[in-house]
Amino acid sequence: VLTVIGDDRPGLVEQLATAISKHDGNWLESSMAHLSGKFAGIVCIGIAEAKLEALKKELSALPGLRITAEVADSGEAPAEKPTGRRLKLSLVGHDRIGIVREVSQVLARHAVNVEDLSTHTASAPMSAAILFHATADLTASPTLDTRALTSDLEQISNDLMVDIALDETLRPS
């Protein structure tokens, strides 16, 4: 698993992909974004252990990027998707410090795992107020008490003055 950060510019993904392919690495999964003028990404690759050091050396020579590599336990992408219940959380409200912390504390108390979290801020329609938007893909045990989780989320929704929606989604077969 590679983490990459640096000043954003055209060609960064191509440079990464070229280096990975040159060492017979297979690009498996990734999540990349432009954040405040920076390029930030996470890439999961499959590569033979014998070629890993040469790839790391080449990646470290890429200009303007900091890249770290962490070897996963299996060295391969998981063969099967996680089991359990899938939930989708959506949140919109006036931006303020602590929203993500408070929501994530509730999720952690209910042993809900955050698989994917996307956030952004935007101007509210017809006002200059800044709204905070978040969406999260979550997984939980089959025995999760969704009523208790919803109740706790509604409580912080009132405290934070945000709208929070929690929906259960079907897991693709």
Side-chain angles (χ1 to χ4, degrees), residues 94-152:
H94 290 282
D95 188 31
R96 76 173 197 62
I97 294 171
I99 294 173
V100 173
R101 177 183 50 88
E102 295 203 26
V103 171
S104 62
Q105 286 175 339
V106 169
L107 296 174
R109 276 197 307 273
H110 289 272
V112 174
N113 187 44
V114 178
E115 286 189 359
D116 186 55
L117 173 65
S118 296
T119 65
H120 71 276
T121 56
S123 295
M126 305 199 326
S127 88
I130 300 297
L131 295 179
F132 179 81
H133 300 258
T135 58
D137 293 331
L138 312 169
T139 55
S141 98
T143 59
L144 172 70
D145 182 349
T146 52
R147 286 186 201 159
L149 175 59
T150 301
S151 174
D152 286 355

Side-chain angles (χ1 to χ4, degrees), residues 17-93:
T18 298
I20 292 166
S21 293
K22 181 178 172 183
H23 295 278
D24 298 322
N26 186 19
W27 189 297
L28 301 171
E29 297 178 69
S30 64
S31 180
M32 299 179 173
H34 173 95
L35 301 167
S36 296
K38 296 291 183 184
F39 171 83
I42 302 171
V43 182
C44 179
I45 64 170
I47 189 167
E49 193 173 332
K51 296 185 178 199
L52 182 58
E53 287 307 314
L55 174 61
K56 285 181 178 180
K57 184 176 180 181
E58 183 162 340
L59 291 173
S60 70
L62 291 177
L65 292 179
R66 282 187 319 218
I67 301 173
T68 59
E70 183 76 26
V71 177
D73 290 338
S74 68
E76 298 175 11
E80 57 186 68
K81 295 282 186 191
T83 58
R85 295 169 77 174
R86 299 224 9 110
L87 305 165
K88 182 83 161 180
L89 181 134
S90 300
L91 178 148
V92 177

